[in-house]
Amino acid sequence: MDSFTLVILAVILVVVVAILAMAIRIANQWERAVVLFLGKFVGIRGPGLFLIIPFLNRVPYLIDLRVITTSFTAEQTLTKDTVPVNVDAVLFWQVVDVEKAALEVKDYQGSISLASQTALRDVIGKTILSDMLTGREAIDTELQRLIGSRVSGWGISILSVEIRDVVIPGALQDAMSMQAQAERERQARVILGDSERQIAEKFEEAAKSYEHNPTALHLRAMNMLYEGLKGGQATIVIVPSTALQTMTLGDMTGTIAFAKTIGKEEKEQKVHEQQPQ
């Protein structure tokens, strides 16, 4: 075999190896390859190793089948009650039909982002600010439905949409804070007024109990006077004259004597407690 033949064989071998290298393709487990034959769609290949015909077949896309997260925002968008807000949200979606995702839309990832932003602005324009701040779950559900309807023919499934943050103007934040504080003060006054009413009702019930039972009233008055005098610090106790007459203490002299007696008993008790055992 002469040298010319060896060169020819070597060239043929290189060409064959190059063609095989161009024909062998590999798709990862989470990927699917879109194969075209002379520009016409012929099928989906993968995962793993697959072959194509060089120069006739082409793989323009490798479609990722994993769940994809896309962040999108709506800046300075007016709510239904004309409040400008900045809203940040995140979209979770997944390709479920590789053929539609490859053939029905040119850039499905960019289109998803634009469709999400448009849907978010539409929802914000139909929602008042208070509902947006307190009812995010309902807004998330509405966004998922709206985005899903817009991409239904693209072979894409919208898994969930979550609003991450709603930013409102600083002046409006101060006004809402003052409103919340005023509301809390109003509730506190309402609760205090209701408590006063309940206390008055209890006093009324107690008065009815003492109305036809002077002995119980007498004992209650004596107990109140005793509790007021046994504190140890106060020496003057204001007592209604009717209470003195009820307790048969007579005049102020009898009250003072009663107070001194109680004070003396407390001093003797303290001295007794201080003595060593």
Side-chain angles (χ1 to χ4, degrees):
M1 185 177 297
D2 55 6
S3 59
F4 180 76
T5 304
L6 292 176
V7 171
I8 296 299
L9 292 177
V11 171
I12 294 175
L13 180 61
V14 170
V15 171
V16 171
V17 171
I19 292 175
L20 288 176
M22 295 174 63
I24 297 175
R25 297 295 181 89
I26 297 176
N28 294 321
Q29 180 64 38
W30 58 85
E31 294 177 334
R32 297 296 183 271
V34 178
V35 180
L36 303 180
F37 180 77
L38 295 178
K40 184 178 179 180
F41 174 78
V42 293
I44 306 297
R45 303 290 184 270
L49 180 69
F50 63 95
L51 299 175
I52 63 173
I53 302 174
F55 307 110
L56 298 180
N57 287 127
R58 188 166 63 92
V59 180
Y61 299 114
L62 284 174
I63 305 297
D64 196 330
L65 298 183
R66 293 174 295 183
V67 175
I68 300 175
T69 303
T70 301
S71 299
F72 57 100
T73 60
E75 298 182 355
Q76 296 297 314
T77 304
L78 293 178
T79 61
K80 187 176 182 180
D81 47 352
T82 65
V83 178
V85 294
N86 297 337
V87 181
D88 293 334
V90 60
L91 172 68
F92 299 91
W93 57 279
Q94 185 179 25
V95 176
V96 294
D97 191 327
V98 177
E99 182 177 352
K100 288 184 178 181
L103 303 181
E104 299 297 331
V105 58
K106 181 178 179 180
D107 180 11
Y108 64 92
Q109 294 188 1
S111 300
I112 282 287
S113 179
L114 293 176
S116 301
Q117 291 180 359
T118 305
L120 179 59
R121 290 180 179 274
D122 291 345
V123 172
I124 292 174
K126 299 177 182 178
T127 308
I128 62 176
L129 180 61
S130 58
D131 292 342
M132 185 174 297
L133 296 177
T134 59
R136 293 191 179 185
E137 293 183 358
I139 297 177
D140 293 344
T141 303
E142 177 63 17
L143 275 174
Q144 181 178 356
R145 184 196 65 79
L146 189 58
I147 298 173
S149 64
R150 294 184 178 183
V151 303
S152 59
W154 299 355
I156 295 172
S157 174
I158 305 300
L159 303 179
S160 65
V161 183
E162 297 180 5
I163 293 179
R164 294 187 298 181
D165 191 19
V166 177
V167 180
I168 60 179
L172 183 58
Q173 292 183 15
D174 296 338
M176 293 177 65
S177 177
M178 295 175 61
Q179 180 183 2
Q181 183 178 358
E183 179 65 21
R184 287 194 294 269
E185 291 180 358
R186 184 189 69 82
Q187 292 179 357
R189 292 185 180 183
V190 170
I191 294 174
L192 179 61
D194 187 66
S195 301
E196 293 292 341
R197 180 186 59 80
Q198 295 179 7
I199 292 172
E201 291 177 354
K202 294 300 180 182
F203 275 129
E204 183 181 1
E205 294 177 3
K208 292 180 179 179
S209 300
Y210 292 130
E211 183 178 4
H212 302 293
N213 195 344
T215 303
L217 179 61
H218 172 78
L219 294 175
R220 178 58 180 162
M222 292 187 64
N223 181 70
M224 292 174 62
L225 181 59
Y226 175 75
E227 293 292 336
L229 293 174
K230 77 174 185 177
Q233 301 296 330
T235 58
I236 298 177
V237 179
I238 299 176
V239 182
S241 59
T242 55
L244 295 176
Q245 295 174 1
T246 302
M247 294 182 287
T248 65
L249 293 178
D251 54 6
M252 186 63 67
T253 304
T255 306
I256 296 174
F258 182 59
K260 288 183 177 179
T261 302
I262 295 176
K264 183 178 179 181
E265 291 179 355
E266 291 182 350
K267 290 181 179 179
E268 291 178 354
Q269 183 178 0
K270 291 181 179 179
V271 172
H272 179 70
E273 292 177 352
Q274 293 176 357
Q275 291 179 355
Q277 300 295 331

